[in-house]
Structures are given as C-alpha cells and as structure tokens.
Amino acid sequence: KNPAAGGGRWVDVPPERFVSWITTFAQRHGGAGPVTVSPPSIPGETRQAVTFSAADGATAECHPPFPAAVPPAVLPPAPELLPLAADAAADRTVGVLLVRLGGYAVGVFSGAPPRLVSSKAGSRPVHGRSAAGGWSQRRFSRRRENQAATALRAAADAAAAVFGPYGPGGLDAVVLGGDKRSAAGLRDDTRLAGYLALAAGRFLTVPDPRLAVLRETPRAFQAIRIRLTEPESDGPAPG
C-alpha cells in the first residue's frame, strides 16, 4: 500500500500514464474538482505540488521528479492540458549514483527517453557483523570498518570518474539510491560536493547496485509521485 505520513498512500505514475491516471481518478470519484498549487510537503523537495481534488473529497497531490521546465504557477487547470507529464519526461542529463555497503553503480542518462551514455559498476567485500566477543570481535570490527571505508572510496572514485567529464554544470540533476547510510558516507568527499548539491529529493531504495539495476532507474526517477487520499469506502487506487 506504501502509506504516506500524514495520511493517504503513495503511488508512482510514469509520465506516459499520468494524464490517463488523472482522468480515471476523476471518473472514479464523481468528477473533477479544483486544482491547486501548494508548497512542497516532502522533505528535500524544491518544487511545488499540484493537487487534484474530486467531487467526493478524494485528492491526488502530485510531485514532479525534477525542477520545473514550466513554472507551476502557469499550469492550466484542465488535466488533459497539464504539462506535468511532458515536463517529467523532458530531455535532461541526469546522473545516478547507487551505493550500498560493498557495491555501487554510477551512470549518466541523457535524451528522451533516457539513454545510459556512461556508467561504471563494481563491488568490494565487506564482511557481516561478528557475534563473537572480546578481542576477536574488536579485531573483526576494525577489519569491517576498513573494508567499508575502502568500499565507499571505490564508489566515490567511480562517481568522480563518471560524472567528471560533465561537471556539476553539465548535469541537470543527480539521483541517489541504494541505502541512505552508505550514500551519506560519501558526503565528506570534496570531489562529489558539487554533484551531491544537485541531488533530487527522491531517494531510490534499490537492491544490490548492479548495471542491470542502474539501467532500470529511469522508470523510477521519471515517475510523478502522487499522494493519494480517498474516502474510506473506496476501492484500490487506479492503475
């Protein structure tokens, strides 16, 4: 169900399905109501949200994935005219950095639809935690810390190598993913400061970072995220 803090649940809708999703939402809930623009409600978001309301009180609060090509204030109210879908699918150069302890995948996507134009993936062994006690456990913990530091350096090296030819000014956005603790471990690397400043508000929680996982990320980073609230008696969300 992917519940949302404060009520409702999250639904990720790809740009090509957004207009039909909103149309179906209105039909299921007795007709379309007002469309409003509101400040971001998700931590890290920089864009305003566009909220569609329906006759029965249901709402669909829509959060675009990237900085707007079209200012939200000029969005027309009719769902079939909304440029949100086109904006989400627009031609951008996007860096993606996926990191988990022991593995990473870095890439740059460009074009519409996004095409992976540069990438690097790899792994470093990091042993699990030991249940032993005493000196043995302390030695194991030090070894594990060293392995983790080596793995994060490898991820940072790969990111600097892949993003470097573009520079921060050559990327429209950077999407982070993997696990948040590992990603946070890269923030002290000065080589990445300019790229991490471009990080989108949405963090992609993915399995072990591999090239195959990296190739699938456009489906997630282009999606319009919708906080859907419905009357208790309604059925499942459309689509």
Side-chain angles (χ1 to χ4, degrees):
K1 292 292 187 179
N2 203 6
R9 60 186 182 275
W10 291 111
V11 180
D12 287 345
V13 178
E16 65 272 16
R17 293 187 54 219
F18 178 69
V19 172
S20 63
W21 192 97
I22 290 294
T23 301
T24 302
F25 164 79
Q27 291 172 346
R28 290 182 67 252
H29 292 284
V35 178
T36 58
V37 177
S38 59
S41 64
I42 303 176
E45 287 283 359
T46 58
R47 289 191 60 175
Q48 294 172 301
V50 178
T51 300
F52 297 84
S53 59
D56 67 355
T59 61
E61 181 186 281
C62 304
H63 296 265
F66 296 113
V70 179
V74 303
L75 293 176
E80 65 271 19
L81 298 178
L82 275 173
L84 275 173
D87 183 65
D91 185 350
R92 289 180 173 88
T93 301
V94 178
V96 178
L97 171 54
L98 309 177
V99 58
R100 281 186 173 275
L101 204 56
Y104 64 85
V106 188
V108 174
F109 291 83
S110 186
R115 181 173 60 89
L116 185 62
V117 295
S118 179
S119 65
K120 187 172 184 179
S123 62
R124 292 288 190 278
V126 178
H127 293 142
R129 300 184 184 277
S130 172
W135 287 104
S136 177
Q137 181 175 351
R138 287 194 284 273
R139 285 198 304 270
F140 188 91
S141 296
R142 286 196 297 270
R143 185 182 309 142
R144 187 176 187 276
E145 289 171 2
N146 290 335
Q147 290 174 336
T150 299
L152 289 178
R153 279 198 300 271
D157 290 345
V162 173
F163 295 162
Y166 299 87
L171 298 177
D172 295 301
V174 171
V175 175
L176 302 178
D179 75 78
K180 291 185 177 181
R181 184 174 181 179
S182 296
L186 301 176
R187 295 195 177 278
D188 292 334
D189 194 306
T190 56
R191 297 172 298 171
L192 304 184
Y195 303 110
L196 296 180
L198 299 173
R202 189 176 310 175
F203 189 91
L204 305 182
T205 302
V206 299
D208 291 342
R210 293 174 286 112
L211 185 58
V213 174
L214 178 67
R215 291 186 184 278
E216 294 298 317
T217 55
R219 181 179 300 177
F221 71 63
Q222 281 194 314
I224 298 166
R225 200 170 196 206
I226 301 173
R227 183 202 298 269
L228 177 67
T229 58
E230 299 178 289
E232 290 293 333
S233 60
D234 279 355

